[in-house]
Amino acid sequence: MKNILVTGGAGFIGSNFVHLMLERGGFETLINLDALTYAGNLDNLADIENDPRYIFVKGDIRDAGLIGSLFDKYDIDTVVNFAAESHVDRSITDPLSFVSTNVVGTQTLLDAAKNHWKVDPKDKYSNEYKPGVKYLQVSTDEVYGALGKEGMFRETTPLSPNSPYSASKASADLMVRAYHNTFGLPCNITRCSNNYGPYQFPEKLIPLMINNAKADKPLPVYGDGMQIRDWLHVKDHCAAIATVLEKGVDGEVYNIGGNNEKANIYIVGLILQTLGKGEDLITHVKDRPGHDRRYAIDNTKITTQLGWAPAYTFEEGIAETIQWYLDHQTWMEKILSGDYQNYYERMYQNA
Ligand code: NAD
Ligand code: DAU
């Protein structure tokens, strides 16, 4: 690994990954390509922006000309694709932008990787690539659909996405699979469960509930709040991705999760308790259409084959995370003072 192209590195998980990689080292240059949509925030990277190994490029993963020029200019040998429209609720009101970024954007990156890394890109029968190249697609457990009370998602579980978001991520995964099987592109797909931790955009459950509780505003719990997510600290997710980059077998999918299933209502209660607020703030609102009831990841493959394991317990991770949001009031206020207010009003006014 010499020159890494990280896409979506100004978002929640991408910015945590950039931090982790700069801490770990072992490469020459890290190029962060991000379109800076509503979810991209350079404040997440303010502390490392002058690191000589780091280059930020504002641009879109669907821009084939730009991507090609980055491969040429920086001799990219590794791609980690975080860039995506990532919020399920937004995918319900605007599915097209999810197809465009998540599917077309992924295919654009795959094409650039194939064309720059294949020893003879004109020979469609050749699967010979430059040594040491790797394309890693950051995917999600949501591609597997929803579970009942029992069972866990394995890498072999059939894809059965239920939201426009998860359908677009599953489509992107299938495109990665096709580039591996048809063109021999060295690649991996990682499918992680719900992340929590610093720099998460406040449209997502945990930062949204912390914000509302702090301000004594109602906490909008969808339906009965008994939906289950399998929570993992974002730094553990990033460490798992670094592990797959280092040791992942080409063409393999790796599930990432920390065996930490919690009902939404439990998380909301914990936030209220930590902040010393009463449960009367909990407001049950109309459920999300097509809401997946339960996710759970079987992480046997990555733990046994690649030796990754989560470092955080949920108890320490969530306490640290709540404190992080309390300590980063200015970071949050900048987001809340922008277009986010309009989104919040549109999203929750009729719920
Ligand atoms: P995020 O919404 O916080 O960040 C997405 C980033 O991508 C932003 O910086 C945004 O500006 C950028 N972006 C969006 N469209 C772009 C485009 N066309 N070109 C270039 N950049 C673009 O998302 P996140 O929560 O950090 O998720 C990152 C990735 O991880 C996504 O692919 C998501 O599907 C996946 N994932 C997320 C979770 C989770 O719990 N958040 C769990 C598993 C997988
Ligand atoms: O499982 C991985 C996925 O986790 C990622 O692929 C997605 O990018 C990420 O956004 C996340 O999806 P979820 O839909 O699970 O996350 P969200 O934070 O939106 O919601 C978590 C749960 O909380 C879900 O069951 C819906 C519920 N919820 C969410 C919001 C925003 C509420 O009850 N009220 C809310 O206001």
Side-chain angles (χ1 to χ4, degrees):
M1 184 162 56
K2 216 169 73 177
N3 300 313
I4 315 171
L5 177 64
V6 173
T7 70
F12 164 46
I13 307 175
S15 61
N16 277 284
F17 183 74
V18 171
H19 279 108
L20 177 84
M21 291 306 281
L22 291 171
E23 265 163 45
R24 287 193 173 192
F27 60 90
E28 284 176 16
T29 313
L30 187 155
I31 298 103
N32 172 15
L33 172 71
D34 196 297
L36 298 182
T37 68
Y38 78 91
N41 185 354
L42 289 179
D43 288 350
N44 300 357
L45 298 158
D47 55 331
I48 54 90
E49 66 187 4
N50 295 321
D51 190 307
R53 298 165 298 167
Y54 172 74
I55 294 166
F56 175 73
V57 178
K58 182 173 187 297
D60 198 305
I61 57 166
R62 292 164 293 186
D63 183 344
L66 171 66
I67 309 291
S69 71
L70 294 178
F71 271 79
D72 286 337
K73 184 169 177 190
Y74 296 110
D75 192 20
I76 305 289
D77 60 12
T78 305
V79 174
V80 186
N81 181 27
F82 292 96
E85 290 295 338
S86 71
H87 192 34
V88 174
D89 290 321
R90 290 186 192 250
S91 82
I92 294 167
T93 49
D94 179 21
L96 182 59
S97 62
F98 284 69
V99 174
S100 181
T101 287
N102 299 358
V103 188
V104 178
T106 297
Q107 193 271 333
T108 308
L109 289 169
L110 288 166
D111 242 11
K114 171 173 82 65
N115 293 335
H116 285 79
W117 293 345
K118 217 171 158 175
V119 172
D120 182 358
K122 292 207 178 79
D123 178 1
K124 74 173 181 182
Y125 297 106
S126 161
N127 277 351
E128 199 189 338
Y129 281 77
K130 293 178 187 167
V133 298
K134 174 84 87 186
Y135 177 96
L136 191 150
Q137 176 74 5
V138 180
S139 186
T140 168
D141 61 355
E142 299 204 7
V143 298
Y144 297 120
L147 292 164
K149 285 197 168 57
E150 304 293 324
M152 297 179 113
F153 298 132
R154 302 203 166 76
E155 288 80 358
T156 49
T157 303
L159 302 189
S160 187
N162 292 317
S163 71
Y165 162 69
S166 53
S168 70
K169 293 294 289 184
S171 308
D173 285 11
L174 293 180
M175 206 44 101
V176 177
R177 176 189 154 90
Y179 270 66
H180 177 71
N181 289 334
T182 304
F183 306 116
L185 185 74
C187 59
N188 288 117
I189 297 173
T190 57
R191 297 188 180 134
C192 189
S193 57
N194 282 64
N195 285 211
Y196 68 96
Y199 302 117
Q200 187 164 32
F201 195 83
E203 66 192 351
K204 306 283 167 62
L205 180 78
I206 289 178
L208 186 147
M209 297 299 174
I210 295 172
N211 273 345
N212 285 17
K214 256 181 8 192
D216 293 309
K217 277 172 63 179
L219 271 52
V221 172
Y222 298 161
D224 62 4
M226 291 307 291
Q227 303 84 3
I228 290 174
R229 297 293 181 263
D230 187 351
W231 294 93
L232 183 72
H233 196 282
V234 64
K235 289 186 182 167
D236 281 328
H237 182 191
C238 293
I241 291 172
T243 303
V244 174
L245 278 182
E246 199 187 324
K247 302 186 202 162
V249 176
D250 284 344
E252 292 294 315
V253 174
Y254 295 95
N255 282 353
I256 304 171
N259 296 322
N260 185 45
E261 292 182 51
K262 302 277 184 246
N264 294 338
I265 198 76
Y266 168 81
I267 302 269
V268 170
L270 186 64
I271 291 170
L272 286 169
Q273 198 190 355
T274 310
L275 296 177
K277 304 284 180 167
E279 297 212 341
D280 53 319
L281 285 176
I282 294 176
T283 311
H284 289 270
V285 299
K286 248 193 216 167
D287 208 350
R288 172 186 278 174
H291 200 171
D292 288 337
R293 195 69 181 167
R294 174 172 165 256
Y295 303 142
I297 278 280
D298 181 338
N299 66 10
T300 308
K301 183 171 173 181
I302 190 166
T303 53
T304 58
Q305 295 184 11
L306 305 189
W308 169 86
Y312 277 90
T313 64
F314 183 70
E315 289 65 31
E316 61 187 353
I318 193 72
E320 194 183 292
T321 299
I322 294 173
Q323 192 57 47
W324 189 92
Y325 286 100
L326 296 178
D327 293 343
H328 290 75
Q329 195 90 10
T330 316
W331 176 89
M332 185 58 88
E333 272 161 14
K334 264 177 91 174
I335 297 174
L336 298 182
S337 63
D339 194 43
Y340 179 74
Q341 276 315 324
N342 299 331
Y343 162 79
Y344 192 88
E345 272 149 37
R346 273 197 317 275
M347 173 69 204
Y348 293 97
Q349 68 181 350
N350 298 320

